[in-house]
Amino acid sequence: MLTFRQGNDAKGNNMHAFEPPPLAEDPTDTPPAPRRRPWGAKFHAALRGLKLGIRGHSSFFVHFFLAALVVAAAVVLRCSLEQWCLLLGCIGLVLTAELFNSCVETLFRCLDEKTRDRAWPALDIAAGAVLLASLTAAVVGLLLFVPKLAARLGLL
């Protein structure tokens, strides 16, 4: 942080200057530069977070189970590549929204009572995001599966 200094120089001239803060005399006073984590450690942390998200929240398991049913239906109904891309994108969207919701819920549990009273809207917003992602995925699934099922059952 710069500091403003006003005064006279050796010749008596009026001086106005910004000066940086003094440097630390002892090199141990400066905090060490943060170490970069290797890619393996980053992936390990990400997989640990995924495991915590799956194990810690029952709603994630419900979404994961429904995703497995969607994949099985897509195999049976022989979906095209474009349909697979839509289905997998929707599955990823819902599971990601659920993980973010779990993250917000986990952070909420760490708050004190006074802060929790003000943070309730964050929980509702996160739950709303999961609902929106789930409804979108359901509509996409219906648009893809209903015509295929109707053709298979001879209704079309």
Side-chain angles (χ1 to χ4, degrees):
M1 181 170 189
L2 296 176
T3 55
F4 183 73
R5 184 171 180 185
Q6 185 175 3
N8 296 329
D9 64 2
K11 296 181 181 178
N13 297 327
N14 199 4
M15 288 182 33
H16 303 283
F18 285 99
E19 295 180 353
L23 296 175
E25 293 179 22
D26 185 8
T28 58
D29 287 348
T30 59
R35 292 186 317 142
R36 291 187 177 182
R37 290 190 303 171
W39 282 101
K42 291 177 183 181
F43 279 110
H44 180 72
L47 291 173
R48 184 178 61 241
L50 190 60
K51 183 175 87 172
L52 289 170
I54 292 170
R55 283 189 179 175
H57 302 275
S58 61
S59 56
F60 188 90
F61 180 77
V62 170
H63 288 291
F64 198 76
F65 177 73
L66 292 174
L69 290 179
V70 167
V71 168
V75 169
V76 169
L77 296 174
R78 298 182 181 169
C79 288
S80 68
L81 178 62
E82 293 84 10
Q83 293 169 333
W84 271 103
C85 289
L86 283 171
L87 291 172
L88 293 176
C90 287
I91 289 170
L93 175 71
V94 171
L95 295 180
T96 301
E98 187 60 51
L99 283 173
F100 277 117
N101 185 41
S102 298
C103 178
V104 171
E105 288 174 355
T106 302
L107 288 173
F108 185 79
R109 285 188 217 115
C110 298
L111 300 175
D112 60 2
E113 287 300 318
K114 185 177 179 183
T115 308
R116 279 186 183 189
D117 292 340
R118 294 188 329 238
W120 273 107
L123 285 175
D124 293 342
I125 292 168
V130 174
L131 178 64
L132 181 62
S134 300
L135 290 175
T136 302
V139 168
V140 169
L142 287 173
L143 290 173
L144 293 179
F145 288 151
V146 168
K148 287 187 170 288
L149 284 171
R152 193 168 264 237
L153 296 174
L155 300 175
L156 284 180

